[in-house]
Amino acid sequence: MKQNKIGLLSVLLLSAGTVRSQQLADSLKLWYNTPAREWTQALPLGNGRLGAMVFGKVSDELIQLNEATLWSGGPVKDNVNPDAPQYLPQVRAALFNENYHQADSLLRKMQGVYSQSFLPMGDLHLRQQIDANSVKDYYRDLDLNKAQSNTRFTSNGVQYTREMFISAADQVIVYHLKASKKGKLNFTLSANSQLHYQNIVNGKDLVLKGKAPSQADPSYINYNKEPIIYEEPGSCKGMRFEVRLRAISVDGTIKTDTAGITVKNATDVTVIVSGATSFNGYDKCPDKDGLNEDKIASEQLAKAAARSLSDLRTRHIKDYTRFFNRVHFAIAGSEAVAALPTDERLRRYSQGGEDPSLEALYFQYGRYLLISSSRTKGAPANLQGIWNKELRAPWSSNYTININTEMNYWPAEECNLMEMQQPLYDLLMELAVTGRHTAQNFYHMNGWVAHHNTDIWAISNPVGDIGKGDTNWANWMMGGNWLCQFLWQHYEFSGSKVFLKDTAYPVMRAAAQFSLGWLVPDKQGRLVTAPSTSPENIFITEKGEHGAVSMASTMDLSVIHDLFTNVIAAADVLGKDAVFADSLKQALAKLYPLQVGKKGNLQEWYKDWEDEDPQHRHISHLFGLFPGNQISPITTPELAAAAKKSLEIRGDGGTGWSKAWKINTWARLLDGNHAHKLLKELIHLTGEGGVDMHNAGGTYANLFCAHPPFQIDGNFGGTSGIAQMLLQSQTGTLHLLPALPDVWSTGEISGLLAQGGYTVDMKWKDGQLTSVTIHATKDGTCMLRVPQRIKADGNAQLAPVKPKDADHGFVYALQTKAGQSYTLYRVQR
Ligand code: FUC
């Protein structure tokens, strides 16, 4: 039905303005003509705290619920391994004797406890009396224009519609059900949970009261008899939570009991759902000292219920679109498939068909997912955003900070969603506190450190349950340092000195303080990290020994290089701390440099060793290319060539996030066609299946990224990669269309952000930039690198800086005034 409508309109009325805007609106919908059978076909909604997966089933609808702060456990225990520090000198001695095996065994003794798990809140079941055989004209969608899902179908001459959105303005889920004929709505709505819970009735409301476990083992741990442990109410750990439902209708009858809400003979019903936990911050007992979740959920529901449906909807859309509408993106070339359902388009695309506007939809979906999953204090988007159905989710659905959590936030600045980083900053501030204890307790060192995992309690110790974790992931020390990159980048994009001074600098400085103390001289006096790993790879020494622990992995040193460089720059901007900045400069000068190996590759290890798995999914040693900016084909061509060689050796396979990382690195190498090849492989349709660590990365029918299983990092990494193909500014120059693939020959994008506080709108045709508008937030000089010669409009002062710079376009200096916009055009020859 839908297909015919759009197809016909587009053929008949292609040029009419209203139809064009309708087509644009339709291009931002994920839509299907069958209900979801699997969770990865269901559609995600979220207000950054409450999340829902909508299946769109006709007579037995399932809506799976999450809340961003619902985790197992409680505040981290201090000093979980008092013996740890005594092993550090022994580990170092073993390393300097090149006894890597012994270093590994000793380092295991320096591990702490595992992180806690993100938990599912509950399920809503809608049972509606519909004869499945009578269903016609089935349609369901997720409309990114409005952040709402719609399900509709006809049965026995009655059209039923269901609309759901989750409002950040009113902090509730709104579920509106309607029948086209009077009195035809008959359904029961019930709620249950996989956690401990009971249902009660409170006035008009059905209330699910629950309790989370105090301990949940990661899914990959199976040696404890009881992987899930609950504590008594009133103890420290194990938070409480509540889901509260109320149905409102002008006609029919509503009866609420503990089995559910039963609606009979109604026409138009609005169900409002609130939900809250007792989580009261990373350092508070979530039960004994928890928030009053009952009061929060009751008040939110009462306030929302006092508003009309249209008021709730308007407030929701206004709140959401102020973020989402900042960026518009369109690429030509999908006319033949634009009117097909999303899963069908995905299937055709995966069989080799081109569909640039599906790629644009994927880009905007990443932005949608970030707005929907990252707006809760102290709870940044986790491994699954905020959408998790499992009690023991893969990798605890926690924060893995050796790539996954960082990838979640790669698109935030460029794609004009900087506010969504606030939860990450919150967690970072907390990590700087727990990480100070970890630095002291595990290493007797100053500053702060975080390792491979963290959780809502800001755990910072090396995980592994003292000896049971593998060192190639458990004992990596650079998690906190890497996260600090976001603090400096925020200053570079926003120019906020207040943020730099009050929020960023103290945390960056203390992280640098740890690393300054952590570096030791090697036999030639060069500064190295020891012990050191390269997530999560294994080397083979010249003697044929396999190991994970050595010295000076390229990633360690690249992350430290990035941090020290940023702290030095920040101290300079703030005009303070010159002595400390000097000590960092001296350390940088002595840092073990990047090495080019015998294959022409960028070496991953201290020595030019082989990899146990040359196609390993992690490309940790390429940090300097992306997300760092130590390596660039323009400023360091030899290192860029080595990084390229390393990428070629790694190959294009990998998990979802691995492919996403590679898109960003190929974009940084200015190779748009290779980046696009990987994008195609990332958006490749994947079915259900278990964990695959190697080459099965792709995309599910609901456009969630498949590691597999589902991990949201690849969605965000893919969105970032697309932005990197269109605009880069990490060198301080705005590089326009740096990696435009041939298949995106004609398109436009507006609202991308660049360092220096610029907003950039661009149009291009036949592979050539036709116009660019720069919106400036400050007086100054904006450096531009463009693929073709450009000229200024009106009085703008635009001067070529050098005629043509090798193969990398033309460079110009544009004088800008705060609040002004400047449009520049291609010079036609
Ligand atoms: C790292 C990766 C895995 C997975 C996990 C959550 O350990 O190596 O592939 O993404 O994080």
Side-chain angles (χ1 to χ4, degrees), residues 142-171:
L142 172 64
D143 184 351
L144 305 189
N145 302 291
K146 299 178 184 160
Q148 71 172 46
S149 80
N150 301 285
T151 307
R152 57 176 183 259
F153 55 87
T154 306
S155 167
N156 295 329
V158 182
Q159 190 191 44
Y160 294 93
T161 55
R162 300 173 191 158
E163 163 199 14
M164 182 179 276
F165 56 87
I166 310 187
S167 168
D170 291 302
Q171 288 297 322

Side-chain angles (χ1 to χ4, degrees), residues 316-355:
H316 159 67
I317 292 175
K318 190 170 165 220
D319 168 82
Y320 165 76
T321 52
R322 91 191 137 102
F323 301 113
F324 187 73
N325 287 356
R326 289 173 182 170
V327 176
H328 293 274
F329 182 29
I331 328 176
S334 292
E335 291 71 16
V337 288
L340 297 176
T342 305
D343 45 355
E344 180 56 26
R345 280 174 80 171
L346 202 47
R347 238 184 310 278
R348 290 181 184 224
Y349 179 83
S350 305
Q351 286 158 3
E354 296 299 351
D355 193 349

Side-chain angles (χ1 to χ4, degrees), residues 254-541:
I254 300 176
K255 191 173 115 305
T256 303
D257 59 33
T258 52
I261 299 176
T262 304
V263 173
K264 285 196 175 141
N265 306 323
T267 316
D268 187 317
V269 178
T270 300
V271 179
I272 299 181
V273 184
S274 64
T277 75
S278 62
F279 176 69
N280 192 17
Y282 78 108
D283 55 353
K284 303 261 176 9
C285 292
D287 186 340
K288 191 159 60 72
D289 303 320
L291 294 178
N292 185 341
E293 76 289 353
D294 180 56
K295 186 162 180 278
I296 298 169
S298 308
E299 286 178 1
Q300 285 171 342
L301 197 148
K303 278 192 193 153
R307 294 186 183 276
S308 69
L309 172 67
S310 77
D311 192 22
L312 288 167
R313 193 192 286 120
T314 307
R315 285 163 54 83
H316 159 67
I317 292 175
K318 190 170 165 220
D319 168 82
Y320 165 76
T321 52
R322 91 191 137 102
F323 301 113
F324 187 73
N325 287 356
R326 289 173 182 170
V327 176
H328 293 274
F329 182 29
I331 328 176
S334 292
E335 291 71 16
V337 288
L340 297 176
T342 305
D343 45 355
E344 180 56 26
R345 280 174 80 171
L346 202 47
R347 238 184 310 278
R348 290 181 184 224
Y349 179 83
S350 305
Q351 286 158 3
E354 296 299 351
D355 193 349
S357 88
L358 181 67
E359 293 161 350
L361 176 67
Y362 187 86
F363 169 85
Q364 292 287 30
Y365 188 52
R367 296 185 64 247
Y368 164 82
L369 291 173
L370 195 61
I371 302 168
S372 307
S373 64
S374 186
R375 296 178 75 179
T376 302
K377 186 167 168 27
N382 63 51
L383 193 65
Q384 299 184 186
I386 48 170
W387 299 280
N388 165 37
K389 69 174 188 322
E390 289 178 67
L391 191 53
R392 294 182 71 197
W395 294 285
S396 310
S397 193
N398 66 7
Y399 303 105
T400 300
I401 54 176
N402 72 12
I403 174 63
N404 315 84
T405 306
E406 286 89 349
M407 186 175 280
N408 284 1
Y409 288 90
W410 286 350
E413 301 282 355
E414 273 89 351
C415 299
N416 216 332
L417 295 172
M418 56 172 69
E419 295 88 341
M420 305 306 147
Q421 292 190 132
Q422 187 56 48
L424 183 70
Y425 303 147
D426 299 335
L427 182 62
L428 198 38
M429 300 304 124
E430 297 161 5
L431 275 172
V433 177
T434 65
R436 196 172 275 281
H437 296 277
T438 298
Q440 275 297 331
N441 295 338
F442 280 76
Y443 310 113
H444 287 166
M445 295 212 0
N446 294 325
W448 72 276
V449 62
H451 295 75
H452 156 87
N453 280 129
T454 187
D455 57 16
I456 202 168
W457 313 108
I459 194 172
S460 53
N461 66 219
V463 294
D465 205 2
I466 316 187
K468 301 194 188 78
D470 290 333
T471 50
N472 64 330
W473 41 269
N475 291 86
W476 183 72
M477 282 89 175
M478 296 292 138
N481 288 354
W482 187 350
L483 287 169
C484 284
Q485 194 188 42
F486 291 94
L487 297 173
W488 173 246
Q489 280 178 357
H490 184 59
Y491 167 72
E492 292 199 301
F493 277 83
S494 70
S496 170
K497 281 195 192 165
V498 175
F499 174 83
L500 186 65
K501 180 166 153 291
D502 298 341
T503 305
Y505 190 74
V507 172
M508 292 165 65
R509 185 192 194 280
Q513 195 186 9
F514 175 85
S515 287
L516 198 58
W518 183 246
L519 289 166
V520 289
D522 70 359
K523 286 176 184 157
Q524 285 79 37
R526 298 165 303 193
L527 291 180
V528 297
T529 49
S532 169
T533 57
S534 184
E536 304 182 10
N537 208 357
I538 302 285
F539 56 76
I540 310 174
T541 67

Side-chain angles (χ1 to χ4, degrees), residues 83-239:
D83 292 337
Q86 65 178 291
Y87 294 106
L88 184 58
Q90 299 176 41
V91 172
R92 286 188 169 153
L95 288 172
F96 279 93
N97 287 329
E98 300 186 18
N99 193 340
Y100 303 113
H101 186 74
Q102 191 189 15
D104 192 293
S105 314
L106 289 164
L107 190 57
R108 281 171 184 260
K109 297 180 198 276
M110 299 183 73
Q111 294 172 352
V113 295
Y114 281 109
S115 82
Q116 290 300 326
S117 302
F118 178 57
L119 300 166
M121 182 155 70
D123 290 334
L124 299 185
H125 296 273
L126 176 85
R127 295 196 176 86
Q128 192 173 353
Q129 294 153 17
I130 303 282
D131 168 14
N133 295 324
S134 69
V135 172
K136 284 198 266 184
D137 299 335
Y138 180 89
Y139 170 86
R140 70 180 169 110
D141 74 17
L142 172 64
D143 184 351
L144 305 189
N145 302 291
K146 299 178 184 160
Q148 71 172 46
S149 80
N150 301 285
T151 307
R152 57 176 183 259
F153 55 87
T154 306
S155 167
N156 295 329
V158 182
Q159 190 191 44
Y160 294 93
T161 55
R162 300 173 191 158
E163 163 199 14
M164 182 179 276
F165 56 87
I166 310 187
S167 168
D170 291 302
Q171 288 297 322
V172 288
I173 302 174
V174 179
Y175 195 20
H176 175 221
L177 302 100
K178 217 170 128 181
S180 64
K181 288 193 181 154
K182 197 162 169 42
K184 290 290 183 187
L185 269 182
N186 291 286
F187 65 83
T188 302
L189 190 63
S190 60
N192 62 2
S193 174
Q194 296 177 64
L195 309 183
H196 284 183
Y197 80 100
Q198 63 175 132
N199 284 339
I200 61 163
V201 175
N202 181 220
K204 297 178 196 159
D205 303 344
L206 173 61
V207 185
L208 183 153
K209 286 180 163 293
K211 169 97 172 149
S214 57
Q215 166 64 34
D217 285 350
S219 56
Y220 48 88
I221 296 299
N222 48 22
Y223 48 75
N224 288 325
K225 227 167 89 201
E226 288 189 54
I228 305 275
I229 298 169
Y230 284 88
E231 273 179 31
E232 290 305 305
S235 58
C236 178
K237 294 189 172 183
M239 63 178 76

